[in-house]
Amino acid sequence: MSQSPVNDFSEQATLRYKQGWRALNRLLHEDRSFSGNERDCAFLNVGGDTPSFATISTVAGFDFPDDGRGLATVDWDFDGDQDVWITCRTAPRVRFLQNGTAARPFVAFKLRGDGITTNRDAIGARLELHLRGPVKHPVRIRTLHGGEGFISQSSDWLHFGLGEATGIEKLVVRWPGGKPQEITGLEPGKFYRITQDRPALEIFTPPSGRPALTPSQANVPALSEAARIIVPLGFPIPKLKTLGPDGSPQAWEPAPGRPAVINLWATWCVPCVAELTDWAAHRDQFKAAGLDVVAFNTDSLGGKPGASPADAAAMLQMLGIRSPFLRISEAGLQALDQLQCAVLDRWKPLPLPSTFLLDPNGELVAIYKGPVQSSQLLADLKLASATADQRRDACIPFPGVGQWVDKSERADPVRVANLMLDNDDIESAIDYLDRCVKVILPQKSLAGYNTTLGDLYYTAGVMKRGSPTRRKDAIASLTAGRDLIPSDLRIRKVLAQEYFETGRHIEATAEMLAATQINPADPNLRADLADLYERIGEYAKAKPILEELLAANPKQALARYRLAVVLQHLGDPRGAIQNYRQTLTDSPRLLDAANDLARLLAGHPDESIRSADEALALAQRLCMITKEKDAGFLHTLSIAFANKGDFPRAIEAAQKALALLPPDKQPAKDALAANLKLFESRQPYRLRAPVGTP
C-alpha cells in the first residue's frame, strides 16, 4: 500500500496513494484478511541489555486462528495481573483471556485531573515508578493514552509489575497541564486513586462477591458458502439479459404484480438438480401462493463443458419445472452478481445454485446461496409485504428478543449502479436507477420518500451527463431531484454546471444563486458563483463577490487570481497586474496566473503597461517547469519573444506549441496559426480592445 504523501504532493504521488487505497478497498471487499491467515501471537520480553522477545503464543493461550483486530488489557478480576479482551473479524467476534499465572507483586493507579490544567480523565499523564531492591532497578514508566491499538482502549488503571523489587521508593506523576507530583509511602499489592494536587492517597478496595469466571469452548460453525440473506427494502431487480434460441441477447423482466423466484442452475450441478426436484414436488403450493419460478440455465457460461440448450431444456422438463426454458447471458449473470455484491458489500462471486426471491413489485426479498428448500421459500414469501422493521428482525440468524439501537432504514440501490459503473457499464447503471425511480414513485407514504427519490434522480442525472445524447434526460433527472430536495446543494451545483454547458446561462445563474441562499456563510459557494459570472462574461457581478472573499481572507490565491482576470476584462490592466503579482507571491505554483500575467505584460497595446523583460522571464520559467510540453505556455513564450523583437525564436516557440496541440483543439490551433503569421511578418502580438482598455 502506498504511504500517505507528506512532502511530495505531485500528481503522480497523489495518484499512487489513491491507487493504494483502491487496491486495499478491493481486497477487503473480496474478504481478504490483514492477518494473512496467521495465528494470533504473544511475545515475552526476556530482558537483557538489548531488548529481546520470545514467542510464547501457544503456552500463553493466544494461539488462535482468529482474524484478530482490537486488543485491550484490564485487570478484570482485580487479582493483580492483566487480563485481555480481543475482538475479531471472524467468529467468535469477542474473546476474553483470563490471566491465570501465579500471583506476582504489583501496584496499580487510577488518576483524576483537576479539570482545569489537566482533563478529568488525566489522558496524557505519565507515571514514573522508582523501586527499591538489592540491585538497581530501572525507572518504570507508563503513560495514560486515549486509545491503544486498532479501535481499542485498555483500562485506565495503570498497572505496574514489580518483579524482584523489595519495595517502592516513590512515584512521580507528570500531569500534562500541571506541576509534577511526587508520592511516597506506597505499598505493593494495592490499588490507589490519585487526584491531581491532593497529597492524600485513596486506597481502592475491589468489590466483593464478584461472580467466578468460568471458561467456555467457542462453538464456531464450519465455514460454508451456503447462506440465507434477507434483504432490506429498496433493492429492485435489474433488467436481465437472456439468450434467445439463436443466441441473440433478449431483455427479461419479472411479470408485474406477481412474486417470483429466480434460480441459477446448471445440468452438471448436483445440488441444483436436487433443489429443482424439490421445488417441482411442491409446484401446487407455489401456484397457490402465486409464486412464479424462473430457472436460468448457465451451461453456456463459465467455460465448463455443459449440456446443449436442447438437452438442458429437456432436463428441466424431466425435473418437473414447467416454466419456460431460459438461458442467462454473461451480462445478465453479471447484473445479478453486482446486485448481491451491493447487498452484502462483499465482492464474492455467486455459487451454483443461487436463488433470488422477488416481491410483486420486482424488489428483492431474499438471496439464497446454495440449495434452498421450497418450505423456506414459501415461509420467506410472507416478507414480501413486511415492514422494514420486520425484514430486519427476520435477518437475525439466531433466536432471542433484543433491542435495536438504530431505526431500520431502506437499502441504497445507488450502490448497485456504482458497481455497474465500476465495470464500465454506464447504460446498465442508468437503466437500473431509472427502474428504481419507477418502483419508488408510487410509495409516497415511505419515510424519507423525497430524500430517497431525490438521491436517485441526482445520481441518475450525474451519470447521464457523461453521454452527449442524454443531456436532455440529465437535466430532467436533476430538475426532478431538485424539486424533491430543494435544499440539496449537490443538485443545485451540478444542475447549474449542466445549464452552463448547454448555454442556458440564466438558469445556471439562478441555480447558483439559490445555492448561496441555502448556505450564505459558505465562501466556497460564493466563489463558485463568482466563477460562473466570470465564465459567462458577467465580470461586473463577479468583481464585488471576489473583493468580499478577499476582504475576509486576503491569502485566497485562487480568488485573487480570478479577481485579476476580472479586472483585466473590465479594463483595469494595472489593477489586474497588481493582483496577478500578489497571487504569485501567495501561491508561486499557480502557473496559470503566471501565464496570464506574462501575456498581459507582453501583449498589452499600451507601452506603459508592457514589461518585456518580466514577461519573457515568466514565460521562460513556465516552459522550463513544464519541460516545453505545454502548448499554452509555449504560445505565451512566442508572444514574449515577439514583443522583444526576437522573431526567429518566437516562430520556433509557436511551431513547437502548434505541434503539441491535438486535432480536437482547433480554436487554439487557429489562434496559434494566426500569431505565427504575425511573427513571420515581423509583427508582435497585441491584445485586442476592449480587453485592457480604460
Side-chain angles (χ1 to χ4, degrees), residues 612-669:
D613 291 338
E614 184 180 355
L616 183 59
L618 285 167
Q620 286 177 322
R621 179 167 178 76
L622 288 170
C623 291
M624 180 191 70
I625 291 172
T626 55
K627 299 180 180 179
E628 295 193 350
K629 298 297 183 184
D630 187 290
F633 297 161
L634 281 167
H635 190 178
T636 301
L637 181 62
S638 70
I639 293 171
F641 274 132
N643 184 55
K644 289 277 288 183
D646 192 343
F647 292 104
R649 295 178 75 180
I651 292 169
E652 180 186 2
Q655 289 172 337
K656 286 181 180 179
L658 204 54
L660 287 172
L661 286 172
D664 61 339
K665 298 291 185 182
Q666 195 56 47
K669 291 170 77 78

Side-chain angles (χ1 to χ4, degrees), residues 550 554 556-565 579-580 582-583 586:
L550 288 168
Q556 288 189 79
L558 194 56
R560 191 168 294 283
Y561 168 45
R562 287 174 176 167
L563 179 60
V565 173
N579 280 280
Y580 279 134
Q582 185 60 49
T583 298
D586 295 335

Side-chain angles (χ1 to χ4, degrees), residues 362-532:
E363 275 196 56
L364 195 57
V365 175
I367 301 173
Y368 308 91
K369 294 187 177 185
V372 54
Q373 295 292 317
S374 55
S375 57
Q376 185 70 68
L377 288 173
L378 292 168
D380 288 342
L381 185 58
K382 298 174 183 177
L383 296 173
S385 57
T387 64
D389 287 343
Q390 290 168 336
R391 283 266 192 108
R392 183 172 62 172
D393 291 341
C395 293
I396 303 172
F398 43 79
V401 178
Q403 183 174 354
W404 293 98
V405 176
D406 297 321
K407 64 179 182 180
S408 58
E409 295 184 4
R410 288 181 61 91
D412 181 11
V414 172
R415 285 162 50 180
V416 183
N418 285 338
L419 279 175
M420 293 174 172
L421 197 62
D422 287 345
N423 285 276
D424 297 324
D425 193 355
I426 188 170
E427 292 303 318
S428 293
I430 293 171
D431 181 79
Y432 183 70
L433 290 173
D434 286 342
R435 181 176 179 79
C436 292
V437 166
K438 291 177 184 176
V439 170
I440 294 175
L441 266 175
Q443 304 176 24
K444 293 187 180 295
S445 60
L446 173 71
Y449 173 85
N450 284 10
T451 301
T452 301
L453 193 55
D455 281 340
L456 289 174
Y457 275 127
Y458 165 71
T459 308
V462 171
M463 290 186 180
K464 290 172 183 177
R465 292 183 68 211
S467 173
T469 59
R470 288 183 175 269
R471 268 251 151 88
K472 186 176 179 181
D473 288 345
I475 290 178
S477 293
L478 291 167
T479 303
R482 176 206 61 194
D483 293 343
L484 285 164
I485 325 175
S487 61
D488 193 311
L489 291 173
R490 302 170 306 160
I491 305 177
R492 295 280 186 179
K493 291 175 67 175
V494 174
L495 191 52
Q497 188 174 355
E498 193 64 17
Y499 279 141
F500 170 78
E501 291 176 0
T502 53
R504 297 166 64 174
H505 294 166
I506 294 176
E507 289 101 322
T509 304
E511 293 299 332
M512 277 309 304
L513 280 169
T516 58
Q517 290 164 4
I518 292 168
N519 190 359
D522 188 345
N524 293 323
L525 288 174
R526 301 287 293 164
D528 289 341
L529 178 61
D531 181 53
L532 178 60

Side-chain angles (χ1 to χ4, degrees), residues 115-188:
I116 300 173
T117 61
T118 298
N119 59 87
R120 292 287 187 190
D121 293 323
I123 301 298
R126 188 177 73 175
L127 272 62
E128 300 173 359
L129 190 67
H130 298 253
L131 302 175
R132 289 195 299 265
V135 297
K136 183 177 181 181
H137 293 275
V139 176
R140 305 200 175 179
I141 299 174
R142 292 289 306 274
T143 301
L144 184 56
H145 298 288
E148 294 175 308
F150 180 72
I151 54 173
S152 303
Q153 171 64 62
S154 292
S155 168
D156 58 358
W157 278 95
L158 294 174
H159 180 279
F160 290 88
L162 303 184
E164 303 301 325
T166 58
I168 301 171
E169 181 180 324
K170 65 179 178 179
L171 174 73
V172 178
V173 183
R174 300 193 182 277
W175 302 98
K179 297 178 180 179
Q181 187 173 348
E182 188 172 303
I183 300 168
T184 57
L186 300 169
E187 298 179 23

